[in-house]
Structure formats: C-alpha cells, structure tokens
Amino acid sequence: MSKPTTARPLNVLQLTDPHLMASADGALLGVNTRDSLAAVIDEVLRNHGQPDLILATGDLTQDASPEAYRYFAEQLQAFDCPSLWIAGNHDDSALLSSIAAESGSDQKQWIQGGWQFVMLDSSVHSKVYGELSADELSFLDRALSEQPEMPAVVSLHHHPVDIGSDWMEKIGLKNRDAFWQVIDRHPQVRVVLWGHIHQELEQQRNGACLLATPSTCIQFATGSSDFAVEPLAPGYRWLELDPSGCFKTEVRRAASFEFDLDEKSTGY
C-alpha cells in the first residue's frame, strides 16, 4: 500500500532594492549594483537552488531606465520560474509594468502552491514616501475577499510600520492605517512583505508575520536617527510556504561579495 503524497512547500524568493542603472558600471555609494545583484543570485543558486516564484519588491532601478529594467529581466533568466514585480520610489511605475508585462511579471494577483500573492503599488510619482491609492486598497480588499480560505502574502515596497529609524519614518507608507484596516478584515493574510528599508526586520501583528528584507546592494544602518549605511553584505529572503498556511523563512547574504562602501555619505 502506497503512502499518500505530501505536497512540498512552495519556495519563494524575495529580491528587493537592486537599484540597477543603465550603465554597466553604475554604482550606489561605491557599490556596483549589477555586481551585487549577480552575487546575490549566485548565493541563491548555491544555497537554495531554484525557487518556484520570485517577488521583486521595488526600487528595481535607481534611474528608472529601460536598460536597467531589461537588465533585471535578463538576470532573472537564471531562474526557471515566474516573477512578480512592483514599483518603489526610484522606479517609473508605468515603464516597469510595461517591461514586466513582456514576461507576465506585471500580475498583481497570483495563486500558486495553495497561496495567494497580492502585489501592491505603493509608489507615488516624484515622492520618496509611499501611499496606496483608493483603487489599490479596493483591489487589495477584493482580491482577499475572493479567496477567504487561502493563506495570503501581501507585498508592497514601503514599510507600513514603525521600524525605529527617525529618518525613515518620514518616507514609509503614508496611509498605513487605511492599509491595516483592510488587512485586519482578512485573517488569512499570513505574511506582509516589503523592501525599501534595506535591512532585515520581523514583527508580528494580529497573526500576520511582517517581514522586511536586505537590499541586493547597500544596507541602511538599523535604528539610525539620520541617514546612515553599514557594511553588511547584500542579501535576499527565502520563504517556504506550506499549503496549510504554515511557513518558514530566512535571510541569507552574499558574504563573499567584496565591496568598498562609502560609509560617510549623507544620502543616495
């Protein structure tokens, strides 16, 4: 008598804030962002292998150039799986969506492995802070209402909680209360995932796990009152999502990547 087959977890890779540029030698505070992304991708393949899905959570480019978006798409060809892209404050949301659409990466609602993924655009044209439009909040509520029994991951770029860093409080999600009002109506949301803060963070809120992830380039110093960076290696987040709604997650860094960070910079 054969044993029943147990569905394996869905392996999800989050890549965030690569800040790519049109130029191959484009650097952010002394770090070549193409090289750092390549190092992170190598680390993913070496430590985890192929994911089933990639979530790219904003600031894919620094200069919002078509060349940078297409370079990002080319690098993702190292993985044999779908990817979903959302914009950050350095991105051109319309251009990102247009190029992402060429590979189907512009999907905002995605179901795979017994989980629903909802991708939100929190970018505001020409602003650093984030805000979710009324249409975006309605979409979030509608998407979650359609699958009330399915565990969900909600992704956006801007942080919707206090992270203990004064300078970043001014540039987080401006209408976070409206966002949480929607999330609180849907207890199947197991993970809220974002980028923007260039550091690892994990909190809990009403049964949901709140996760932020290091950038694939430079890292902001945690708990800093003013802009500051620290010489931590670029990284990524890996999630293993079970159809039951249970999950595991970890952050890994490309520790062997060598870089010369400008730690005296007062901005970027």
Side-chain angles (χ1 to χ4, degrees):
M1 181 177 178
S2 61
K3 295 181 180 180
T5 301
T6 302
R8 71 168 178 82
L10 184 75
N11 294 322
V12 178
L13 167 65
Q14 182 195 11
L15 298 174
T16 196
D17 298 86
H19 290 270
L20 298 167
M21 305 176 203
S23 173
D25 59 1
L28 193 62
L29 305 192
V31 178
N32 183 294
T33 59
R34 292 192 178 194
D35 290 347
S36 61
L37 175 61
V40 168
I41 290 174
D42 286 346
E43 190 74 12
V44 173
L45 293 172
R46 180 166 52 250
N47 285 288
H48 284 112
Q50 288 287 339
D52 300 308
L53 179 67
I54 298 167
L55 306 179
T57 52
D59 281 356
L60 308 188
T61 69
Q62 174 73 6
D63 58 9
S65 64
E67 295 85 357
Y69 290 119
R70 295 196 184 282
Y71 180 81
F72 184 67
E74 291 170 4
Q75 298 315 294
L76 292 192
Q77 291 178 9
F79 304 111
D80 185 22
C81 71
S83 63
L84 307 175
W85 305 5
I86 51 177
N89 51 287
H90 285 274
D91 290 308
D92 180 315
S93 182
L95 179 59
L96 180 152
S97 294
S98 175
I99 294 176
E102 296 173 4
S103 59
S105 299
D106 61 329
Q107 299 298 307
K108 293 171 62 65
Q109 185 177 7
W110 187 266
I111 293 176
Q112 186 175 348
W115 285 70
Q116 178 174 209
F117 300 85
V118 182
M119 310 296 290
L120 300 175
D121 185 353
S122 61
S123 66
V124 179
H125 180 67
S126 77
K127 302 296 184 182
V128 181
Y129 67 78
E131 189 168 11
L132 294 168
S133 68
D135 286 347
E136 205 73 355
L137 290 168
S138 294
F139 159 70
L140 171 63
D141 193 35
R142 185 171 64 254
L144 293 173
S145 296
E146 290 173 359
Q147 303 291 340
E149 303 301 323
M150 184 176 291
V153 175
V154 174
S155 298
L156 68 165
H157 179 68
H158 293 83
H159 51 293
V161 295
D162 184 353
I163 65 165
S165 182
D166 292 343
W167 74 275
M168 292 209 78
E169 286 314 296
K170 305 170 186 176
I171 60 172
L173 187 68
K174 193 173 182 181
N175 59 337
R176 61 179 62 173
D177 288 345
F179 170 71
W180 289 118
Q181 285 174 14
V182 177
I183 296 296
D184 288 345
R185 291 198 292 270
H186 300 282
Q188 78 271 28
V189 176
R190 300 303 314 281
V191 177
V192 177
L193 187 67
W194 65 87
H196 192 49
I197 67 173
H198 290 232
Q199 58 194 256
E200 180 180 358
L201 179 142
E202 180 172 344
Q203 296 181 6
Q204 300 289 327
R205 186 185 187 281
N206 294 346
C209 188
L210 316 183
L211 299 171
T213 298
S215 165
T216 68
C217 60
I218 66 170
Q219 313 305 319
F220 299 154
T222 58
S224 58
S225 295
D226 301 311
F227 177 87
V229 292
E230 55 186 339
L232 292 175
Y236 66 93
R237 182 177 293 279
W238 186 266
L239 301 103
E240 297 179 0
L241 308 179
D242 190 88
S244 67
C246 297
F247 66 92
K248 298 178 182 178
T249 185
E250 67 171 324
V251 164
R252 295 292 294 258
R253 296 181 185 269
S256 61
F257 177 66
E258 297 182 359
F259 57 96
D260 185 15
L261 178 68
D262 178 8
E263 296 184 60
K264 296 181 180 180
S265 175
T266 57
Y268 74 108

